[in-house]
């Protein structure tokens, strides 16, 4: 596998987290593990949003509302 730079790595992580969060979109607190996973994905995406170039990779929206 090709080595990635920091920007490329964040892009791959972001794409995966968005995909996983979308898969768990309908998870509720009663869903147990699935809801906890969704919450963790959202928190990770919010942390990536702190990056000053997050808007350049498409993280320029309110994550929780999506």
């Amino acid at each position: 596998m090709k080595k990635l730079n920091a920007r490329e790595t964040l892009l791959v992580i972001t794409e995966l987290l968005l995909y996983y969060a979308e898969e768990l979109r309908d998870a509720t607190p009663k869903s147990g593990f699935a809801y906890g996973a969704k919450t963790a994905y959202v928190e990770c995406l919010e942390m990536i949003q702190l990056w000053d170039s997050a808007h350049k990779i498409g993280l320029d929206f309110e994550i929780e509302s999506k």
Side-chain angles (χ1 to χ4, degrees), residues 14-56:
T14 300
E15 289 172 353
L16 280 171
L17 290 171
L18 286 169
Y19 173 77
Y20 295 153
E22 181 62 31
E23 287 289 305
L24 296 172
R25 171 177 230 151
D26 297 325
T28 65
K30 291 183 180 181
S31 303
F33 179 81
Y35 182 75
K38 179 177 81 169
T39 301
Y41 299 147
V42 168
E43 288 179 6
C44 288
L45 287 164
E46 289 173 340
M47 294 300 290
I48 294 170
Q49 252 184 348
L50 297 175
W51 174 38
D52 62 357
S53 295
H55 65 284
K56 293 179 183 176

